[in-house]
Amino acid sequence: MDDDLTKSKVLSSLLWKLLERGGTQGIQFIVLIVLARLLLPEDFGLLVLVTIFITIAGVIVQSGFNIALIQKKKVDEADYSSVFYLNLFVAIILYVVLFFTAPVIASFFAEPQLLSVLRILSLTLFFGAFNSIQQAVIARNMQFKKLFFSSMGAVIISGVVGMTMAYTGYGVWALVGHQMTNQLIVTIILWFTVNWRPKLTFSMERLGSLFVFGWKLLASSLIETLNSNIRNLLIGKMFSPALLGFYNRGEQFPSVIINNINGSIQSVMFPTLSFHQENTERVKVMVRRSIIMSSFVIFPMMFGLVAIAEPLVKILLTEKWLPSVPFLQIFCISYALWPIHTANLQAINALGRSDIFLKLEIVKTILGLIILAVSIPFGVHMMALGVLGVGILSTFINAYPNLQLLNYSILEQWRDIKPSLLTSLVMGAIVFPIHLIGLTDSVTLIIQIIVGVVLYIGLAKVFNFDAFNYLLSIIKGLFRRNTTTKIVVNEEATE
């Protein structure tokens, strides 16, 4: 594939992925704000507890085969259909397990409502099994435009359903209806827009070849999922659903931003890196560009969010959610490191080294459990700080293998992100004290945002950041392309 054509396809795919993530996450964010104002923190805490078990089951349903389908050089109908039927079979087994263990789970947390909520929400496992192959086809062919329409349709319809149920007093069931509707609509739209249907073919041999790569990703995903959710389980059991709700809402704000921007970049980068997996120099250039660009965009957002956390929560969620502010600030710093984590891990997977990926997850899990055990006696806030500590150490752990694989050292990576990191810290330090002036929350928030944006962009321009110039060149290129297209269309119309 020609480099210019590849770059054009990557930028086009990234644009549609950003639109999909930005549009859906933006609408989802507004919906969740409305739901947070209508519902209680304990309602969200109950949903988090249920989601833990469904998320773990969902990882098993995907089985690592979906990523293996994207990474594999050549796939055919036997590969797709075999993975589809396996995913569906696993979903059936896991639903039965969750259905009959629901009473035990509800009893363990002393929350009777968990019984029916878990049994109903576990049906989403079937939606995941049905649309998993469609999403793999989209990623392989970089048809993210189709994902945009399915996600937008789902988030709008499910948002209306969730807010209507919350307003009419359904409590936690409004959150259940919201999630169920979202997954159902995505599945229906993808089924009709993606040109793939399962064939009556099943090959254990094809599954075996995919399993060689996929089982390590399955194990890694399970370890990572268990590691990231064990704190939610402990908070729900040892403290209260309300405190878990504050903890979870604090994580929501940075999570939305990261999933939108960094998630979009990495979704497009993985198939692209996989295509160039035999050219390590090319992979290094792309990974480095990914780290520099995502850091330039994400760092100011995260440190800016730390600075404006209190007035933002008061305005959006009301004062009943103020206990979530410290969690929000801690998670912002933790999520700021994600560009380094994901870019390094995507490169390792794209090069076919899922064995290294698995080893890294094992090391990080052991480290995380040790820090968790030490932090538990000091309360929930110290547990959140433990997540941040693990994130900082994991930055070095995830980057280490690429010294050998790509000749891209940890020191070189930190040099690449240093300009954006230092500038973001300076910006945050100047923006944070503005709330001490004593203005109203809305005026304070507006001033903080304006000062932060102007200061960061101004410093980037003054110090001539490479990321800033590259971003401007992309925007100008897209603008010129659109202008040229309009001129050609007008000329054809005139003729």
Side-chain angles (χ1 to χ4, degrees), residues 176-197:
V176 175
H178 173 245
Q179 287 205 10
M180 287 285 293
T181 306
N182 185 282
Q183 294 295 313
L184 175 62
I185 299 300
V186 167
T187 302
I188 292 173
I189 295 177
L190 285 180
W191 190 257
F192 288 103
T193 56
V194 178
N195 187 25
W196 180 86
R197 295 291 183 275

Side-chain angles (χ1 to χ4, degrees), residues 12 23 82 84 116 122 134 140 148 157 181 183 201 246 273 278 281-282 334 337 368 388 404 414 425 434 465:
S12 174
S82 299
F84 173 80
S116 51
S122 294
Q134 276 87 352
R140 280 191 66 89
F148 166 78
I157 296 173
T181 306
Q183 294 295 313
T201 178
F246 292 131
L273 292 173
E278 295 173 0
E281 284 296 322
R282 177 71 170 160
S334 179
L337 301 171
L388 173 58
Q404 279 76 36
W414 279 94
L425 287 171
I434 294 176
F465 285 179

Side-chain angles (χ1 to χ4, degrees), residues 151-182:
S151 298
M152 285 296 290
V155 76
I156 291 172
I157 296 173
S158 65
V160 172
V161 170
M163 289 187 292
T164 302
M165 291 179 68
Y167 184 74
T168 51
Y170 279 90
V172 69
W173 287 103
L175 299 173
V176 175
H178 173 245
Q179 287 205 10
M180 287 285 293
T181 306
N182 185 282

Side-chain angles (χ1 to χ4, degrees), residues 19 25 82 119 152 182 299 350 405 424 462:
L19 287 172
Q25 293 285 348
S82 299
R119 284 178 170 176
M152 285 296 290
N182 185 282
F299 280 159
L405 296 176
S424 298
V462 168

Side-chain angles (χ1 to χ4, degrees), residues 71-92:
Q71 193 273 342
K72 189 177 180 182
K73 273 287 188 180
K74 294 181 180 180
V75 295
D76 57 23
E77 284 301 330
D79 295 302
Y80 286 132
S81 295
S82 299
V83 172
F84 173 80
Y85 291 121
L86 176 66
N87 288 352
L88 189 58
F89 175 74
V90 173
I92 293 172

